Amino acid sequence: MLRRLGIGGRLFLAFLCISGLSLSSGIASWLILRHIAAAQSVVNTKALPAVAATQHTAELSAKLVATAPVLAAVQSSAELSNEQAKLSRLAQEMVASLDEARKLAIDTQLVEEFAGAVEKMLANLKSNYELVRQRLEEEAAYRDSAEKVADAAQSILLLSETLISNASAGASAVTANLYGLINDPARREDAYSAIDRLIEHDIFLMERMYELRHRSAQISLLINRLNRAESMVEITEISRIFQDHMKVIRRRILGIDDPVRRAQALQSFNTMETAAGDTPVAGSLFGRRQRIIDLVGKLDTLAEANRDLSVKQNAVARTILDRSGEFARTTAERADHAVQIGVFVLILTLLGAVLVSGTIVWLYVERNLVRRLGGLSRAMQRLTAGDLAVQVAEDGDDELRTMAVAVNRFRDESQRRLDLEQERERITVELKRHREELQQLVEEQTEQIRLVNTQLRQEALDHAEARERAEQASSAKSAFLATMSHEIRTPMTGMLGMMRLLSDTKLSSAQRKHLSIAANSGEALLGILNAILDYSKIESGNVVLEQVDFDMATLVEGVVAFMRPIATEKGLDFNLKIDRKLAPAFSGDATKIRQVLFNLVSNAIKFTERGGVEVEVTKAEADKSSQRVIVTIADTGIGISPEQQEHIFQAFTQTDASITRRFGGTGLGLAISRELARLMGAELKVESAQGTGSKFIFELTMKTARRPGRAQQRGPRAAKARQALNILMVEDDEATRLVADTVLSKAGHRVRAVSSGYAAVEAVADFKPDILVMDISLPGIDGLETMKRVRKALEAPGLPVIAMSAHVFTSEVERYLNSGVDAFVAKPIIDEQLLEAIGTLTDRVPAGTVLAAFDEVACKADVDALGLEVVRRLHRIAQDSLPRRFEAMHEALRGNDRKALRDLAHATKSSAGSLGFPRLLAASVALETASASGSAAELGHIVSECEAAFAAGFAQLDQTLPANEPAERTAAE
Ligand code: ADP
């Protein structure tokens, strides 16, 4: 997997790892910071506020505690209400602070305890306030009464002093009077009475007023003492003294003589008595004083309780504060701890990240990339500097390896270039040296070359002359061959024709045998001549391909049919297989294809003694417009060794010398066949093993034709060819004339044979030819001229004309055809070729005599070739099989099986051909043609015609054959 990634991918992975590590350390830091923040937050939001709230509450509580003495010391109601306001503010603050403390409480129980103490304190303060208020009221009332008592006492004091003064003044006056009376004895008694009164009244009065004044003054002093009194005992003592004084004062006041003054004194006394009360009970001056002392005592007790409470409160507050402080401290410590752990983990993660990143960077980037890149860079620098002794290790399996390989290649290439450069330099130096030498040499040899050039020019001229001579010789050879063949073929034609005619006459068996040998030799010679001519034509490039539409199957069938008798004669099996998918028509040179196939099939039969020959036609690749056709000719003959196979396609080559002796031949057939095949773009090859047989494969690609092939046209034409025609034949060579005449007459035509053009023109006066057959080279007017004149004489410019000539070069044949000749037949005349040429032109001949039911000439030829017995046997077979075939035709007609009908017609066509029944042949061809599209009635009619033609043919045959038997017998004798 990693290997496949390449450097980019691996680096990406490495950086991904490093980034992942940084990310994870970042995440760890974030988590730690969050933890620390949470701890700090606890410190900030809980611990510190809790401490602050506790402190605040404690401060408030201290203030509350401090309020109590102040409250207790209040001296006026204004002060009291002021303090009261402060107290209620404090109380409110306290409640709020307590609520806050409760919310932030770290130890709720403690806070509640504290709150309880505070509430108690508040309740105490409330009581305190109430006591103070009562105290102030009592004090006001007390002060009022005391002042009244003091004022009244003062009034009495002043009154008593006045009374004293008055008494003193009276005493003084008395006294003064006394001195006068004493001295006046008359008056002594007066004096004594005055002294008694003075002593009894004035001085006594004075004494009582002094006492009154003293007692009044004591009252004021008592009031002062009462103001300072601090205990019930003391108050009771003062009260008792006060009451004593009051009793005496009352008596003294009642003792005042002056009623006005007495009344005044009594009023003051009453005031005093009312204000002071008589006993220390509630409402009296002393009672008030006593209540004040009580209240002060209660206040002191309350202050004491408050102090206790304050102590307790302070203790709780301290505990809370301690706890809060402890909590804050613990939380802060925890936060510190978290910070420490965080820092530790952070450092650890960072170290881990740095370690792993470092490892990755070291292991992969440094060791695998940087180091190797460095090596590559150094190697490249060295290479750039021209140092080729660089060796880069090609390790790893990534791009760097590719680069290393490239650098090594570059080094090798550079080395090679350097070597080449050195070599080039060496060569340049060498060349330079050589050039200098050469220059010298050139100069030396220019002269020689000029001389040689002159010689060469002369030689070239000589060569051109020689080539011209050779070409002339070759042309001369071709011309010689052409002339020779022409000159030899003409008499040969005559000879062979004559021999064929001779063989039709009555001969002894020895004569027939000799004639047969002569004819065979003649045929062989003609074969050799033809082969040499063909080959020389090919050699001189005189072969031109024709393009005609034809039916390949029919062509092969024709070849096989033609060769079958020979194969049968040798006792060989002879089979033909044709691929049904073969196109119905092709466009190509049918003649040359036939020539090749004839050659191959005849070789196969020739070189096979046992077994058989099989011809197979198959279709290979095909496209819309063409098909590749493979014709295989396989035999079970002598075979060809691999070495021999290499040579057999060369001209005049046979596998060994004995071949000519055993089989004859020229060794030209295969050479011609291969050349023809080559010309047609076809292939001819052999597969063979000596002793087991050979297989010749002829493969050619041909255009498929749309219109029906010639074979299909040939049926009606061939049938028509059986029509008896008037044929005017012009041939100066007697033998050829005789042969052609015989061939045409045998085919049932009426022939007028003449030896010159003039004779031909004359002949048309009483002989109306349907076709003119003429030799080209004629004495007097030549063939072409004769043609013109005959046409003119007959007033038939479209008269079909067949030219015969031994001049078979393409250019000449083209000339004839361009001059108005309709068909051309090469000499020596081959019966079939002549008859086929006539067949192709029969279309243009008006319908004439009805076809013969039986071809006597053909039958005789068969008897000659095969022997009467064989022919008879063939006839018997036909007599048996054909009626059955007609029945099958009726059957097919009834079932409208057109294909079966066509096959039956085709088979009948072959039988009719071999039987020599022209009428049956024509009828079966018509049936085959019409089988595809003809109406049932039309087809029924043609089947009936077949049956009639067959019956008529046998009727004539029966009349003909017995007559021949004695002749055969004679010949045999
Ligand atoms: P020809 O048959 O006239 O001798 P060919 O060129 O046709 O010349 O054949 C050349 C030679 O090839 C023949 O002489 C024969 O030795 C050999 N040859 C051709 N066809 C066959 C065959 N079917 N079987 C064996 N040998 C063959």
Side-chain angles (χ1 to χ4, degrees):
M1 161 75 177
L2 260 183
R3 291 182 173 203
R4 265 184 283 135
L5 274 181
I7 292 178
R10 290 184 207 175
L11 272 180
F12 178 72
L13 257 183
F15 288 125
L16 209 66
C17 272
I18 294 170
S19 313
L21 282 167
S22 309
L23 189 71
S24 57
S25 87
I27 289 170
S29 314
W30 179 68
L31 287 171
I32 290 158
L33 281 174
R34 236 169 56 129
H35 185 56
I36 293 167
Q40 298 280 20
S41 163
V42 170
V43 171
N44 291 332
T45 57
K46 207 164 174 193
L48 292 179
V51 171
T54 313
Q55 259 173 355
H56 184 56
T57 316
E59 277 167 20
L60 287 175
S61 126
K63 274 187 190 171
L64 272 179
V65 171
T67 307
V70 176
L71 201 61
V74 161
Q75 294 303 323
S76 66
S77 47
E79 255 185 90
L80 181 66
S81 58
N82 192 20
E83 286 304 316
Q84 163 64 19
K86 276 188 197 170
L87 184 66
S88 65
R89 266 202 310 279
L90 257 177
Q92 275 174 4
E93 269 187 61
M94 195 66 193
V95 170
S97 183
L98 274 174
D99 283 348
E100 183 68 17
R102 273 196 188 95
K103 262 191 251 160
L104 297 166
I106 284 147
D107 187 335
T108 328
Q109 202 184 339
L110 269 178
V111 173
E112 286 307 324
E113 194 179 329
F114 183 74
V118 168
E119 272 157 22
K120 260 187 202 162
M121 167 75 86
L122 282 173
N124 281 355
L125 283 173
K126 223 172 173 181
S127 310
N128 210 348
Y129 166 77
E130 192 53 36
L131 288 173
V132 169
R133 191 184 59 75
Q134 287 175 12
R135 178 180 62 87
L136 283 178
E137 271 178 18
E138 287 295 333
E139 274 179 352
Y142 168 79
R143 249 192 324 271
D144 191 38
S145 299
E147 272 173 16
K148 277 181 183 166
V149 170
D151 286 349
Q154 189 66 28
S155 298
I156 293 169
L157 182 80
L158 288 172
L159 193 67
S160 63
E161 275 181 355
T162 308
L163 288 171
I164 287 168
S165 305
N166 287 345
S168 174
S172 295
V174 166
T175 310
N177 284 337
L178 278 172
Y179 284 118
L181 290 168
I182 296 176
N183 286 351
D184 189 338
R187 300 216 95 185
R188 217 164 261 194
E189 258 319 301
D190 286 334
Y192 286 135
S193 248
I195 290 170
D196 285 337
R197 214 187 39 220
L198 179 64
I199 294 164
E200 277 175 27
H201 189 269
D202 286 330
I203 290 174
F204 181 64
L205 184 67
M206 249 178 56
E207 271 178 8
R208 279 187 293 176
M209 286 306 114
Y210 270 119
E211 195 179 0
L212 183 61
R213 190 182 68 169
H214 170 75
R215 296 274 178 179
S216 300
Q218 282 300 314
I219 286 292
S220 291
L221 287 172
L222 271 177
I223 289 298
N224 282 337
R225 204 178 142 194
L226 185 64
N227 283 346
R228 290 189 305 274
E230 296 213 332
S231 68
M232 268 308 286
V233 178
E234 198 178 0
I235 290 169
T236 310
E237 176 64 21
I238 292 168
S239 172
R240 188 190 55 78
I241 296 166
F242 183 82
Q243 292 303 329
D244 285 348
H245 284 309
M246 284 296 276
K247 280 176 197 163
V248 174
I249 289 170
R250 194 169 180 267
R251 273 193 319 269
R252 293 301 169 254
I253 289 170
L254 288 173
I256 297 171
D257 295 332
D258 185 354
V260 174
R261 296 253 169 90
R262 198 175 54 236
Q264 279 180 343
L266 265 175
Q267 193 183 356
S268 294
F269 181 82
N270 284 339
T271 303
M272 216 162 52
E273 194 173 38
T274 309
D278 45 359
T279 49
V281 291
S284 76
L285 189 62
F286 303 99
R288 286 194 196 281
R289 181 66 200 160
Q290 192 176 335
R291 264 205 306 286
I292 286 168
I293 288 167
D294 275 353
L295 284 170
V296 168
K298 276 185 186 169
L299 278 170
D300 286 344
T301 315
L302 214 53
E304 190 65 28
N306 277 350
R307 262 193 304 280
D308 290 348
L309 265 179
S310 163
V311 169
K312 189 184 174 189
Q313 220 170 273
N314 282 343
V316 176
R318 236 190 335 275
T319 316
I320 292 174
L321 260 177
D322 288 349
R323 291 273 171 86
S324 300
E326 182 64 32
F327 178 68
R329 211 170 28 258
T330 327
T331 318
E333 273 173 13
R334 218 177 289 148
D336 281 351
H337 189 61
V339 168
Q340 277 171 9
I341 289 176
V343 169
F344 178 70
V345 171
L346 207 61
I347 289 169
L348 215 65
T349 332
L350 270 173
L351 276 177
V354 166
L355 203 71
V356 174
S357 311
T359 312
I360 289 171
V361 168
W362 171 253
L363 281 181
Y364 184 66
V365 180
E366 163 62 25
R367 271 178 49 181
N368 250 348
L369 299 183
V370 177
R371 205 180 286 177
R372 286 166 67 202
L373 265 175
L376 272 172
S377 154
R378 280 193 298 282
M380 280 157 105
Q381 273 172 357
R382 281 174 64 192
L383 273 177
T384 319
D387 178 3
L388 295 181
V390 173
Q391 179 62 44
V392 184
E394 293 176 7
D395 31 76
D397 57 352
D398 48 21
E399 291 89 335
L400 287 180
R401 183 178 189 280
T402 318
M403 281 170 73
V405 172
V407 167
N408 282 339
R409 290 233 178 101
F410 178 75
R411 179 206 59 209
D412 296 345
E413 187 60 20
S414 300
Q415 186 61 56
R416 204 175 60 77
R417 287 222 181 121
L418 191 70
D419 293 349
L420 278 175
E421 190 63 27
Q422 285 169 353
E423 181 67 12
R424 198 173 63 81
E425 271 172 25
R426 196 183 58 72
I427 289 169
T428 310
V429 171
E430 192 90 330
L431 271 177
K432 203 173 160 197
R433 194 172 55 77
H434 272 295
R435 199 166 48 234
E436 285 162 5
E437 285 174 13
L438 267 175
Q439 227 163 356
Q440 204 182 344
L441 261 176
V442 164
E443 280 164 16
E444 284 170 15
Q445 290 192 349
T446 306
E447 189 52 36
Q448 289 180 20
I449 286 169
R450 208 149 28 82
L451 287 172
V452 171
N453 266 352
T454 318
Q455 285 171 7
L456 277 174
R457 221 171 288 130
Q458 187 55 47
E459 268 179 35
L461 284 174
D462 293 348
H463 279 154
E465 212 174 295
R467 193 174 63 239
E468 208 174 307
R469 275 203 302 275
E471 277 169 4
Q472 278 171 2
S474 171
S475 315
K477 184 189 92 184
S478 292
F480 170 75
L481 281 172
T483 315
M484 278 300 287
S485 64
H486 179 255
E487 292 312 319
I488 297 168
R489 279 149 62 93
T490 308
M492 278 301 297
T493 310
M495 269 168 61
L496 287 171
M498 281 302 114
M499 282 186 230
R500 267 206 302 279
L501 292 179
L502 195 60
S503 71
D504 287 347
T505 60
K506 279 189 182 175
L507 295 171
S508 69
S509 62
Q511 283 171 327
R512 191 169 291 281
K513 194 175 171 191
H514 293 156
L515 185 62
S516 163
I517 292 167
N520 283 343
S521 304
E523 292 285 352
L525 184 58
L526 193 62
I528 292 165
L529 268 178
N530 281 339
I532 292 173
L533 189 62
D534 279 347
Y535 191 70
S536 63
K537 271 201 286 183
I538 290 168
E539 240 197 347
S540 61
N542 255 318
V543 177
V544 175
L545 292 178
E546 283 187 331
Q547 286 294 322
V548 292
D549 294 345
F550 68 100
D551 178 354
M552 183 71 180
T554 310
L555 186 147
V556 182
E557 277 169 5
V559 172
V560 169
F562 187 83
M563 299 304 293
R564 187 177 294 284
I566 305 167
T568 313
E569 196 176 33
K570 286 185 83 173
L572 300 175
D573 289 338
F574 195 25
N575 294 320
L576 169 64
K577 282 188 197 161
I578 297 180
D579 190 342
R580 285 178 170 274
K581 287 183 197 141
L582 205 64
F586 290 100
S587 173
D589 195 331
T591 311
K592 296 194 174 58
I593 294 169
R594 195 181 288 118
Q595 186 176 349
V596 172
L597 294 182
F598 261 125
N599 185 36
L600 298 175
V601 174
S602 73
N603 272 353
I605 296 171
K606 186 160 80 174
F607 295 109
T608 306
E609 295 301 334
R610 270 185 304 279
V613 175
E614 185 173 276
V615 179
E616 190 177 3
V617 187
T618 49
K619 178 206 86 138
E621 320 109 40
D623 57 33
K624 262 190 183 162
S625 60
S626 62
Q627 246 184 21
R628 188 158 181 82
V629 180
I630 304 164
V631 186
T632 316
I633 297 102
D635 63 61
T636 54
I638 58 172
I640 310 159
S641 69
E643 309 82 59
Q644 290 162 348
Q645 284 172 28
E646 287 175 17
H647 305 296
I648 53 172
F649 290 102
Q650 290 163 9
F652 304 105
T653 306
Q654 294 181 314
T655 49
D656 67 60
S658 67
I659 292 288
T660 323
R661 282 201 308 280
R662 278 174 67 197
F663 303 102
T666 54
L668 274 175
L670 287 179
I672 292 168
S673 297
R674 173 157 281 183
E675 283 308 311
L676 289 178
R678 192 179 52 75
L679 275 171
M680 288 187 280
E683 215 183 323
L684 177 59
K685 49 192 183 185
V686 63
E687 291 170 8
S688 179
Q690 210 161 19
T692 54
S694 313
K695 190 194 265 185
F696 281 84
I697 301 148
F698 178 45
E699 277 188 47
L700 72 166
T701 303
M702 289 181 288
K703 284 206 172 101
T704 49
R706 284 176 190 219
R707 59 200 176 87
R710 213 160 77 185
Q712 281 155 310
Q713 294 165 357
R714 201 163 50 190
R717 279 204 201 125
K720 263 196 159 181
R722 300 286 182 182
Q723 185 181 335
L725 301 173
N726 287 343
I727 298 173
L728 175 60
M729 189 181 55
V730 194
E731 171 62 65
D732 62 330
D733 182 65
E734 203 184 340
T736 309
R737 192 167 65 235
L738 194 57
V739 170
D741 187 359
T742 314
V743 167
L744 294 173
S745 301
K746 263 188 175 179
H749 301 294
R750 289 175 291 277
V751 183
R752 170 75 65 87
V754 293
S755 61
S756 73
Y758 298 116
V761 177
E762 274 171 27
V764 296
D766 61 341
F767 183 79
K768 296 285 173 254
D770 293 318
I771 290 179
L772 171 64
V773 178
M774 57 172 210
D775 184 15
I776 290 286
S777 315
L778 288 172
I781 52 171
D782 68 359
L784 296 178
E785 185 57 32
T786 307
M787 170 184 78
K788 281 181 200 159
R789 291 191 188 188
V790 168
R791 278 179 173 164
K792 200 174 168 193
L794 278 171
E795 292 178 345
L799 176 75
V801 175
I802 298 170
M804 302 187 291
S805 176
H807 293 280
V808 288
F809 286 112
T810 316
S811 53
E812 289 173 46
V813 174
E814 268 173 15
R815 190 165 65 81
Y816 307 149
L817 294 173
N818 289 337
S819 309
V821 168
D822 295 296
F824 175 79
V825 176
K827 283 184 181 176
I829 301 298
I830 295 166
D831 305 3
E832 286 78 9
Q833 284 176 0
L834 184 58
L835 290 174
E836 192 177 326
I838 287 184
T840 58
L841 297 174
T842 315
D843 279 352
R844 290 161 48 183
V845 178
T849 326
V850 178
L851 281 172
F854 170 63
D855 186 344
E856 195 183 330
V857 179
C859 180
K860 280 183 178 164
D862 287 346
V863 171
D864 288 346
L866 305 170
L868 186 60
E869 266 315 300
V870 176
V871 173
R872 278 222 169 112
R873 207 166 65 232
L874 282 173
H875 287 169
R876 273 200 300 280
I877 292 168
Q879 261 177 321
D880 279 353
S881 64
L882 277 170
R884 282 206 300 278
R885 207 173 287 159
F886 296 141
E887 266 173 37
M889 281 179 187
H890 284 298
E891 187 69 38
L893 257 179
R894 280 195 291 277
N896 198 24
D897 187 348
R898 300 297 178 108
K899 188 180 170 300
L901 196 61
R902 198 190 66 209
D903 292 347
L904 288 165
H906 186 80
T908 310
K909 188 176 80 178
S910 305
S911 305
S914 50
L915 282 169
F917 284 14
R919 191 174 146 195
L920 179 58
L921 179 72
S924 52
V925 167
L927 184 61
E928 189 180 7
T929 314
S931 62
S933 55
S935 68
E938 191 187 339
L939 295 173
H941 179 73
I942 303 176
V943 173
S944 304
E945 164 62 11
C946 285
E947 286 176 299
F950 172 72
F954 266 102
Q956 283 186 29
L957 176 77
D958 287 341
Q959 289 168 3
T960 311
L961 275 187
N964 282 343
E965 238 174 338
E968 184 65 24
R969 266 200 304 275
T970 318
E973 279 158 13

